[in-house]
Structures are given as structure tokens and as C-alpha cells.
Amino acid sequence: MHLDIRWAHRGPESRALTLSRGNTVLRSCYPLPSIRWLPVRLIIARCEVRYSGRLSTVLAPAVRLLMLKADGTFMVWSDGGGQKVKPQNWMTPPAVIEEEGEPLERIVVRKRAGASEDRLEIRVEEILSDVEHDMGEAAALEKDGVEADLQEALADSPEWCGEGFRLVRREWPTDIGPVDLMCRRDDDDGWVAVEIKRVGTIDAVEQLSRYLERIRQDPAMADCHGVLAAQTIRPQARTLAETRSIDCVEVDLDVVRGDREPDLTLFG
């Protein structure tokens, strides 16, 4: 069976998803929650996983969970790794997924990465479970507490994220999730993606980096800049953000709302 998943950009706010399964071609436009006819597939199998692309890696045969999401994301999970919530390997759309054998013997996931190609090859030794679930329409993310309040306040006053920022849209969609604020700069009309957290951590920098990677695939937004805004930002996160050319801004919710004056700074 061959599942071909492709994205077509139609401007910065619209993308089209084209999927082919056998001779059937299905189409849907963003946002992804409208995709209800393609179930999530979960395969538990003893398998070997080989990755080739920017480097080459091999995961020796073991029992793993293979997850094929409705948006075209492919992930390989193990039951080890302690408290780290991260797949052993993954591929985000746009990607081509090919399956061989009945019962399943091999899965190949391919994705273009510039002039090269990223490739995952899964050799299946034994299928323990292979099920599909229609997850239905996804509920929108609802943030509560300080983070939600901070996003609302900064949307009303985006200049706290950077001088001359003006809001274009909250919850700007990407195919891996929405970025909190999309702004433009007054001086050069440049795009700026702002991710808002209560505490800025390394994970927050990684999350914003993934959003920027997807956003910059649109030629009109290839120079999109990133800003991480939080009430407090960890030193390690600042260091990583600097290497990614991401600005870090600490903001006080009470000050942004106008409930109190900013702390005075004395210059000597």
C-alpha cells in the first residue's frame, strides 16, 4: 500500500493537503482538524529502523510503536528512555510513506531536505498489533492561568515583544501546530513569530525553532524572525536561543496590563 502525503502552499495563511491512498486522492485545506476521514494508525512491531540523510543511524531490532498520524507525521516510539517524552525517530510532512508486504514487511518514509533526501526504512520482523482509530475533530488548545493571560495581553500590546511590532494574527497555523503570535515590524515590514511561555526553557526554544522551520518554507516568509517571550527565561534557554538567532524577552504580566509601573533602572 502506498500513502502519498503532500503539502501545497497557497499563501502564508492557506495550505492544501493532498493525500493518495491507492487510486483514491483526498484533499483538505488547513486547518488540520477538518481531516476526519483519515484515521491514526498504531503499529506495535518487532522491527529494525534505519535512518539516512544528514547522518546515518540504526536502531537494532526491538519491539516498538510505529505511529502514523492523520497529518502525515510518522513517529517511532520505544517504551524506554525514562521520563523523556520524545520519539526515537520521526518524519514530519510533507513525506511519502510506502508499505511493502502482506502481512507488512517493510515501511519506507521519504522526505526532501534541500538537495538531499531524508529516509526512514523500517524492516518488520513481527507484527504484534496493527490498529486504526478515527480520532474525530480535534478540540482547540485551551490555555489557562498565566500563560493564556500573557498571550492575550501581548496580543493587545505586541510592542512589549519588540519595538515596532504590530499583531497580524494570534494562533498562526503551521502544519505542526499554531505559533502564539505572528507580528510584523514597522521599520522593514518583516515577519516575526512570537512563542509565549510562563517559563522559557530549552524545550520552548526547540518548539519555536520547529515552527520557524515550517514557516520559512513559504518563500514570502523565508526571513521570519523568532522571539521567545516569557515571565522568566532559563539561562540555558537563552544560550540555545542565541545560537538559533532567536530573541528572548522577559515580560511582566502586571506591567503589560498596566496594573503597575515598570521597575525603575538607575544608570550611574
Side-chain angles (χ1 to χ4, degrees):
M1 181 170 60
H2 178 87
L3 179 59
D4 192 353
I5 302 171
R6 301 182 185 277
W7 283 99
H9 290 267
R10 296 180 178 175
E13 294 191 58
S14 177
R15 303 161 188 233
L17 177 65
T18 302
L19 303 97
S20 303
R21 202 172 208 175
N23 295 321
T24 303
V25 177
L26 306 171
R27 300 176 189 270
S28 176
C29 290
Y30 203 91
L32 289 180
S34 64
I35 304 173
R36 302 191 60 176
W37 27 259
L38 189 65
V40 172
R41 186 177 177 190
L42 304 173
I43 304 171
I44 300 176
R46 179 174 295 278
C47 58
E48 176 191 76
V49 181
R50 293 180 176 269
Y51 167 78
S52 60
R54 290 161 289 183
L55 69 161
S56 296
T57 63
V58 178
L59 294 172
V63 175
R64 297 185 173 89
L65 168 64
L66 310 177
M67 179 183 295
L68 291 81
K69 292 178 60 182
D71 64 0
T73 301
F74 183 92
M75 292 180 285
V76 179
W77 296 88
S78 75
D79 198 27
Q83 296 181 351
K84 292 184 64 177
V85 185
K86 186 175 182 180
Q88 290 185 303
N89 222 320
W90 67 92
M91 199 84 78
T92 57
V96 175
I97 302 174
E98 300 169 317
E99 301 177 19
E100 297 178 6
E102 187 62 47
L104 184 62
E105 297 176 351
R106 182 169 173 261
I107 301 174
V108 176
V109 186
R110 298 182 287 109
K111 175 181 177 179
R112 297 299 301 177
S116 62
E117 180 181 73
D118 287 337
R119 179 185 177 95
L120 272 177
E121 182 174 345
I122 297 91
R123 296 186 179 275
V124 178
E125 297 182 356
E126 181 185 7
I127 297 287
L128 303 178
S129 175
D130 186 349
V131 296
E132 293 184 345
H133 296 280
D134 184 352
M135 305 290 286
E137 186 170 346
L141 177 66
E142 295 183 5
K143 298 183 179 181
D144 57 4
V146 173
E147 193 170 306
D149 294 337
L150 194 58
Q151 183 186 126
E152 182 177 355
L154 290 175
D156 291 337
S157 303
E159 63 274 9
W160 286 100
C161 300
E163 185 177 355
F165 283 15
R166 66 181 187 276
L167 180 68
V168 176
R169 176 173 174 173
R170 292 180 62 178
E171 302 291 340
W172 181 276
T174 78
D175 50 16
I176 57 173
V179 66
D180 290 328
L181 305 180
M182 182 62 73
C183 300
R184 303 197 83 158
R185 294 185 298 261
D186 286 339
D187 57 353
D188 60 2
D189 211 32
W191 292 96
V192 185
V194 181
E195 185 64 20
I196 299 167
K197 300 292 183 184
R198 184 177 64 84
V199 179
T201 62
I202 286 177
D203 286 343
V205 177
E206 294 284 7
Q207 180 183 3
L208 180 54
S209 297
R210 292 192 294 269
Y211 289 152
L212 289 169
E213 179 185 3
R214 308 305 298 167
I215 291 167
R216 289 168 179 165
Q217 289 186 1
D218 186 333
M221 307 181 75
D223 296 326
C224 184
H225 187 62
V227 172
L228 174 62
Q231 288 197 305
T232 59
I233 298 177
R234 301 272 171 81
Q236 302 93 330
R238 286 186 180 276
T239 300
L240 180 60
E242 185 176 353
T243 66
R244 305 267 177 96
S245 298
I246 292 174
D247 290 339
C248 291
V249 179
E250 288 192 348
V251 291
D252 186 311
L253 179 57
D254 290 336
V255 174
V256 175
R257 283 173 165 172
D259 293 338
R260 73 175 182 86
E261 294 295 321
D263 294 333
L264 296 177
T265 302
L266 299 178
F267 298 92

